[in-house]
Amino acid sequence: MLLNIPDIKTDSEILKKAYRIAAGDISGNITLFKSGLLKKEVPCILAGLDYDTPWTRDTAINVWNALAVISPETAKNTLLAVCENSEKGRIIGTGWHQYWDCMIWTLGAYHYCLVNNDNGFLKTVFEITLNTLKIYENNEFDKDKNLFGGPAVYGDGAGAYPDKYGLSENFSSSVLDWVERNPDKRNPKGYGLPMFSLSTNCMYYMVYKVCEKISEKLNTDGAEFKEKAEKLKIAVNKYFWNEKKGSYDYLAGECDYQEGLGISFAILSGIADGEKTDLLFKNIYISEHGIPCVWPCYERYLKKGNLGRHSGTVWPFIQGFWGQSLMKEKQFRAFDENLRLMAEKALKDGQFAEIYHSITGEIYGGLQENNNPKNQKDIGVNDIVMWKSARRQSWSATAFLSLIYYCVLGLQYNGDVLRIKPYLPGFLNEITVSGIPFGKDRLKITVKRNSDAPKEIILYSDNVECLEIELGYC
């Protein structure tokens, strides 16, 4: 196994120590594994210390965040581990039957190809993507609304959803069980969940845009993907944008709550235009300990005396995407605070945990429906229980590293081209990261505040003149 976690030196002790904790959490979750398209046991990354398998969405997000940089071999292996052979050809696997956001695999796989200039694997990514995309266009796409149905990205628990999907006569901890327990209310098409979520539709938009880019790289016609992306963008802004609140709704026509990941995706993807983006930053709620996954918390959990597992809590992987959104729109002060919060919690707890309480800042698993309530007809004390927060969660750690690599260092990979445009948060004046991969080389990048050095640089893999690069930031 080749694991190349770049070394960091900086005048910020909190950043340096949090970085080492993240590196430890990630390396500790890499193990030999075989599944999917893998023919033998090879190094793969598991979802966290409390998991014994990779998960499709976790894999994609880990690769997208940092794994493509620190261990290309592990990244590629794990991407293949969550795919499978089918009568439709090679497709993305729906690990644990969670189908709705499996297409996020494409975003992680494409990023791996950009970082490592792996054009050979790019063809495989395209094949697997098209085979899988066709399935969900047939089964989950609503032609009238021009939206994809299904739950939110990562939102597998009932705690992510309003009472309709949680507090009911027939409830379960898994939102998927809702269909079987409510046959009279199911959507007749596809799996049957009658919801349309912001993050999932933003994800599909990004997948179409990636397909357009891959088509260009492979010299094939990408007009179809460009058209589908544009129609989906229009539909998202039609059905999710809430003029009164100046923000996007979480579930179209059902819930106007704030979805942290969905709003992050809307900004990162460009679905939100300039005016909408300004309103989003103006109106978004950020707790004392970071952006909540869903806000406000559902009343059924507050009545039990605390926050829900998927509502009101802070998930670090969402903080990662939110941080990238802040950097994209030059919200520097908010970015600094977001990065600081993530680092402080890692130092306090000695790990990057799965979930935190948005009021206390402590590790917290959250309240959620129980799979085996004593009485399904009467909502009693055993129907909603406290869950655990998983330990050393991979995507929490890679989220933190993503902010170092892509925001602070400002790495922008595009195959054989690397643009570096750094940013220094207010709480540090200098940072050096050694071992940044680019082509066959490893770069040492130093950024100093108020230096006369260039503020950005563009490198080409076939002509890297110097492996030690100094850049300035004012």
Side-chain angles (χ1 to χ4, degrees):
M1 175 182 68
L2 179 62
L3 185 61
N4 173 62
I5 299 180
D7 180 67
I8 184 175
K9 290 181 172 59
T10 174
D11 61 337
S12 169
E13 282 295 310
I14 182 176
L15 206 66
K16 180 169 61 178
K17 291 179 179 178
Y19 185 97
R20 289 177 60 188
I21 292 170
D25 286 352
I26 294 165
S27 60
N29 287 330
I30 296 176
T31 187
L32 293 177
F33 189 80
K34 176 188 174 184
S35 70
L37 299 180
L38 297 177
K39 296 181 180 179
K40 61 180 181 180
E41 285 192 335
V42 290
C44 292
I45 190 166
L46 308 183
L49 184 61
D50 296 318
Y51 297 82
D52 56 9
T53 66
W55 280 39
T56 303
R57 78 172 70 92
D58 296 58
T59 294
I61 289 173
N62 283 323
V63 174
W64 190 1
N65 278 342
L67 198 63
V69 171
I70 64 180
S71 186
E73 174 195 5
T74 303
K76 190 172 183 178
N77 289 343
T78 318
L79 288 167
L80 291 171
V82 296
C83 291
E84 59 193 42
N85 290 305
S86 77
E87 60 183 17
K88 305 289 185 182
R90 293 187 292 182
I91 61 171
I92 303 165
T94 56
W96 300 86
H97 307 294
Q98 293 171 3
Y99 66 92
W100 62 88
D101 58 0
C102 74
M103 291 303 310
I104 200 169
W105 179 92
T106 299
L107 305 182
Y110 179 64
H111 184 73
Y112 158 82
C113 292
L114 290 184
V115 171
N116 296 286
N117 199 23
D118 193 338
N119 290 322
F121 189 57
L122 192 65
K123 296 177 181 178
T124 300
V125 170
F126 202 37
E127 174 205 337
I128 291 173
T129 295
L130 296 186
N131 289 342
T132 313
L133 189 55
K134 191 176 296 182
I135 294 171
Y136 295 110
E137 286 178 334
N138 290 334
N139 294 340
E140 300 297 332
F141 185 69
D142 186 304
K143 293 182 180 179
D144 294 329
K145 287 185 171 66
N146 214 85
L147 294 173
F148 285 89
V153 172
Y154 101 100
D156 50 84
Y161 303 99
D163 290 358
K164 171 182 175 179
Y165 300 102
L167 188 61
S168 64
E169 186 173 314
N170 295 301
F171 56 83
S172 166
S173 63
S174 171
V175 70
L176 290 174
D177 293 340
W178 184 91
V179 174
E180 181 181 351
R181 300 180 184 206
N182 297 272
D184 58 319
K185 300 175 184 176
R186 64 163 292 156
N187 187 329
K189 185 177 182 180
Y191 189 87
L193 281 163
M195 64 174 76
F196 298 89
S197 59
L198 176 62
S199 56
T200 294
N201 279 282
C202 291
M203 175 203 71
Y204 272 102
Y205 171 78
M206 288 189 280
V207 169
Y208 281 136
K209 295 301 290 183
V210 162
C211 286
E212 182 186 351
K213 292 174 182 176
I214 295 177
S215 296
E216 182 178 342
K217 287 180 177 291
L218 298 181
N219 295 314
T220 61
D221 186 6
E224 170 192 358
F225 306 115
K226 182 177 182 179
E227 180 182 357
K228 287 179 177 179
E230 186 58 31
K231 287 181 177 179
L232 186 52
K233 178 179 179 179
I234 291 169
V236 169
N237 283 315
K238 175 181 178 181
Y239 287 101
F240 289 94
W241 182 254
N242 187 321
E243 288 285 354
K244 185 176 180 180
K245 297 185 69 173
S247 185
Y248 286 105
D249 289 346
Y250 172 29
L251 303 176
E254 289 194 277
C255 181
D256 66 355
Y257 282 18
Q258 170 186 300
E259 186 200 3
L261 188 61
I263 290 174
S264 298
F265 280 1
I267 295 171
L268 286 171
S269 67
I271 285 177
D273 59 24
E275 182 180 358
K276 286 185 173 65
T277 301
D278 291 343
L279 288 170
L280 288 171
F281 288 129
K282 177 182 178 182
N283 297 318
I284 198 149
Y285 171 77
I286 305 295
S287 81
E288 185 177 347
H289 293 281
I291 185 169
C293 52
V294 174
W295 187 264
C297 178
Y298 296 117
E299 189 66 24
R300 66 184 186 271
Y301 302 126
L302 295 177
K303 286 180 179 179
K304 293 285 185 179
N306 222 317
L307 302 176
R309 182 168 176 81
H310 296 276
S311 66
T313 46
V314 173
W315 291 62
F317 92 90
I318 297 177
Q319 285 184 284
F321 285 116
W322 177 241
Q324 291 185 50
S325 302
L326 292 169
M327 181 56 60
K328 177 177 182 285
E329 298 300 326
K330 297 180 172 57
Q331 301 288 315
F332 298 130
R333 184 176 298 179
F335 173 85
D336 291 4
E337 177 67 4
N338 185 69
L339 183 65
R340 182 187 64 80
L341 285 172
M342 294 181 73
E344 284 182 347
K345 287 181 178 57
L347 264 64
K348 175 175 67 71
D349 301 316
Q351 63 165 307
F352 280 86
E354 180 187 31
I355 316 172
Y356 292 87
H357 198 289
S358 64
I359 298 172
T360 68
E362 297 301 316
I363 294 175
Y364 171 77
L367 294 169
Q368 187 168 245
E369 282 66 22
N370 184 6
N371 266 332
N372 299 299
K374 290 182 177 179
N375 189 337
Q376 288 191 0
K377 293 183 179 179
D378 248 349
I379 301 303
V381 293
N382 295 311
D383 303 329
I384 293 177
V385 300
M386 185 64 69
W387 288 58
K388 292 182 179 180
S389 172
R391 298 168 295 171
R392 301 190 183 280
Q393 199 76 350
S394 297
W395 66 7
S396 298
T398 60
F400 181 74
L401 294 191
S402 76
L403 299 184
I404 303 299
Y405 296 152
Y406 308 129
C407 298
V408 176
L409 288 186
L411 304 178
Q412 299 175 38
Y413 286 96
N414 190 9
D416 59 353
V417 180
L418 173 61
R419 182 186 184 196
I420 308 174
K421 186 177 182 180
Y423 162 78
L424 289 180
F427 55 84
L428 75 152
N429 294 302
E430 183 175 337
I431 185 171
T432 296
V433 183
S434 305
I436 292 294
F438 181 50
K440 298 179 180 179
D441 299 310
R442 292 286 181 268
L443 307 177
K444 180 179 180 180
I445 302 171
T446 297
V447 185
K448 295 181 179 180
R449 191 179 299 278
N450 299 324
S451 167
D452 292 332
K455 302 303 182 287
E456 65 178 284
I457 190 172
I458 297 176
L459 303 175
Y460 300 89
S461 61
D462 61 351
N463 187 27
V464 180
E465 296 181 357
C466 180
L467 300 184
E468 295 192 15
I469 299 165
E470 182 174 324
L471 296 169
Y473 181 80
C474 295

